[in-house]
Amino acid sequence: MYEITTELDNLNEEVIGHMNSWVDMLGGGEIGRLVGAALVLLVFFIFKRVLVRGALAILRRIAQQRSESMMGNVLDAFALPLQALFMLLGVYFATEVLTLPEEIDAFAVEAISVAAGFCVFWALFRAVEPLGVSLNRLVGRFGAGLGDDLRQFFIRGVKTLIVVIGGVIILENWGIDVSAFLGGLGLAGMAVALAAKDSVANIFGGLTIFADNLYKRGDWIETPHFEGTVEVVGLRATKVRTFAKALVTMPNAQIVDSPVINWSRMTHRRIKMVIGLEYRTTAKQMEAIVDKLRDFLKNDEDVAQTDVAQMVHLSDFGASSINIDLYYFTKTTDWVTWRDIRNRHIIAFKRIVEEEDAAFAFPSQSLYVESMPEIINSPKDDQRSERKIG
């Protein structure tokens, strides 16, 4: 590292020496140096244009030919910082050509070095998002929605880290003792940790959601606190749109500590229903109805036939009906399609029962009265009645 720095210093002195020789050829003096500084700025401005429209354009074209869109996006991100860095380099050599007072020259060099450092971190900051595209394959195994959330979390974290490191380095270049400030933060770290323990728990909860792939954006989930569709899986909290169209924001720590049902992970959707037949239905009719119901479900293309249960049985003698219990699954998990299938099946089941000259029972009660008390009119009641009539 020391050898590289020495070589750069030697190159810098050699370039400045050549520039001063060219200025002396122009006649020297203040006017000659002003003209030389203007020519230096013009040369670097032309180099900047050549860099953007020439070298970067060629590299971008090569990346497109090789179907490396990420590299092309990174080059686009580097374009503006590189242009600014070239112009800063031109300003530096222009100031070296001019005969400025030592204080002004030292301040200008310091300002240029800080601005150059800013350009470097600016380029890294702009390149984070294009580089995040390269995470598609890595985070793709978490699913499209969760992978996108994880990628955004990575991008925000790296950008924050670049800003912090860049700010510390720039402040150090300005002569500000950042280490003392960081040491003070270390003393207050315990108090901050105690105050932010809930936030830390939520962050670890978010990492648990990402690692275990509990759910992703767009999933239908249910917890003891809410039920709805996930809209945002953040580092601190998850936002869920309930079926009443209200937005619920729940800290990740509470979600991780609660049972979570992910209905979007259903392989099939279940249908449960009970058909109540009248008690006057004969045994032969019931056997025929059960057989026809089983045949209907076995031959229906929307009903799952493997890996799930499919049951049609007479279940019990109800209060006012003999009940047939149906338990089966559809192939689709889409809610609207499932409702259409259920609607079609109810009509088909009604038709099967009617074909066997049976009928559905409805809740009813029979009241048997063994005897009625005799009503005896007393003479006083008759007199009272007569007075009322009169």
Side-chain angles (χ1 to χ4, degrees):
M1 188 68 183
Y2 176 76
E3 294 178 356
I4 295 175
T5 304
T6 304
E7 289 294 331
L8 289 176
D9 290 338
N10 294 334
L11 179 63
N12 180 40
E13 292 177 1
E14 186 176 351
V15 172
I16 293 173
H18 284 298
M19 287 184 177
N20 287 327
S21 300
W22 294 337
V23 170
D24 293 336
M25 292 175 61
L26 294 173
E30 293 183 0
I31 296 177
R33 291 192 174 276
L34 286 173
V35 172
L39 288 175
V40 168
L41 289 175
L42 179 61
V43 168
F44 274 91
F45 179 77
I46 295 172
F47 279 171
K48 181 199 73 170
R49 304 287 289 184
V50 171
L51 172 71
V52 175
R53 294 187 178 180
L56 289 181
I58 293 172
L59 292 175
R60 193 183 300 111
R61 194 176 302 114
I62 293 173
Q64 290 176 352
Q65 290 176 354
R66 296 183 177 181
S67 300
E68 296 181 1
S69 58
M70 182 197 71
M71 186 58 64
N73 293 332
V74 171
L75 291 173
D76 290 336
F78 281 166
L80 285 177
L82 282 177
Q83 292 182 58
L85 197 60
F86 255 79
M87 289 308 300
L88 286 172
L89 193 60
V91 171
Y92 167 73
F93 284 117
T95 55
E96 291 297 325
V97 170
L98 296 173
T99 55
L100 299 175
E102 290 185 5
E103 295 180 355
I104 298 177
D105 185 69
F107 176 79
V109 171
E110 189 70 25
I112 291 171
S113 64
V114 170
F118 173 79
C119 288
V120 172
F121 285 101
W122 182 27
L124 295 175
F125 185 87
R126 286 171 57 90
V128 170
E129 198 147 350
L131 288 173
V133 178
S134 64
L135 294 174
N136 286 339
R137 294 181 180 177
L138 178 62
V139 302
R141 64 187 186 90
F142 293 102
L146 188 59
D148 184 64
D149 293 326
L150 189 60
R151 183 170 53 253
Q152 291 301 322
F153 165 68
F154 168 79
I155 290 172
R156 288 195 297 266
V158 174
K159 282 185 175 181
T160 303
L161 186 63
I162 289 174
V163 169
V164 171
I165 294 176
V168 170
I169 292 177
I170 290 174
L171 290 175
E172 288 284 353
N173 288 337
W174 278 104
I176 299 174
D177 189 6
V178 183
S179 59
F181 175 71
L182 295 177
L185 289 180
L187 294 176
M190 183 177 294
V192 173
L194 291 174
K197 61 183 181 64
D198 292 337
S199 299
V200 174
N202 290 326
I203 291 173
F204 277 101
L207 294 176
T208 301
I209 292 171
F210 287 129
D212 294 344
N213 194 13
L214 293 181
Y215 50 78
K216 63 180 182 297
R217 191 171 66 252
D219 281 357
W220 166 25
I221 65 172
E222 180 183 356
T223 73
H225 309 285
F226 56 82
E227 180 181 4
T229 305
V230 178
E231 285 196 354
V232 177
V233 184
L235 185 61
R236 190 196 68 83
T238 295
K239 295 182 180 180
V240 176
R241 182 76 61 180
T242 66
F243 295 128
K245 296 305 179 183
L247 186 64
V248 178
T249 302
M250 179 66 70
N252 289 330
Q254 295 186 26
I255 295 178
V256 171
D257 291 337
S258 303
V260 178
I261 302 175
N262 192 330
W263 292 108
S264 296
R265 304 281 174 85
M266 290 185 296
T267 57
H268 303 84
R269 204 176 187 111
R270 184 179 61 180
I271 293 180
K272 290 175 62 178
M273 66 175 67
V274 176
I275 296 177
L277 300 177
E278 293 179 335
Y279 265 98
R280 63 182 178 182
T281 307
T282 65
K284 185 177 181 180
Q285 287 175 316
M286 287 188 290
E287 288 179 353
I289 291 171
V290 170
D291 290 339
K292 285 188 175 182
L293 290 174
R294 289 174 177 172
D295 290 338
F296 174 83
L297 295 179
K298 285 182 180 179
N299 297 319
D300 192 288
E301 60 182 9
D302 293 321
V303 177
Q305 305 295 335
T306 59
D307 301 328
V308 290
Q310 186 182 118
M311 296 181 288
V312 180
H313 296 93
L314 289 163
S315 59
D316 53 62
F317 293 96
S320 57
S321 63
I322 300 175
N323 297 325
I324 301 176
D325 183 71
L326 293 95
Y327 186 95
Y328 58 99
F329 292 81
T330 62
K331 293 179 180 178
T332 183
T333 59
D334 181 71
W335 188 47
V336 176
T337 306
W338 176 85
R339 288 173 62 89
D340 290 336
I341 295 172
R342 186 182 176 93
N343 176 82
R344 180 171 60 82
H345 285 187
I346 289 174
I347 296 173
F349 298 158
K350 181 76 163 68
R351 187 174 291 114
I352 289 172
V353 172
E354 290 175 349
E355 288 174 355
E356 293 299 321
D357 293 328
F360 290 94
F362 54 88
S364 61
Q365 288 183 344
S366 298
L367 182 63
Y368 296 93
V369 180
E370 299 226 351
S371 61
M372 293 289 292
E374 294 182 3
I375 299 176
I376 302 174
N377 293 329
S378 65
K380 292 182 179 181
D381 292 336
D382 295 338
Q383 293 175 4
R384 194 181 301 114
S385 300
E386 289 176 0
R387 282 197 297 271
K388 288 182 180 178
I389 294 172

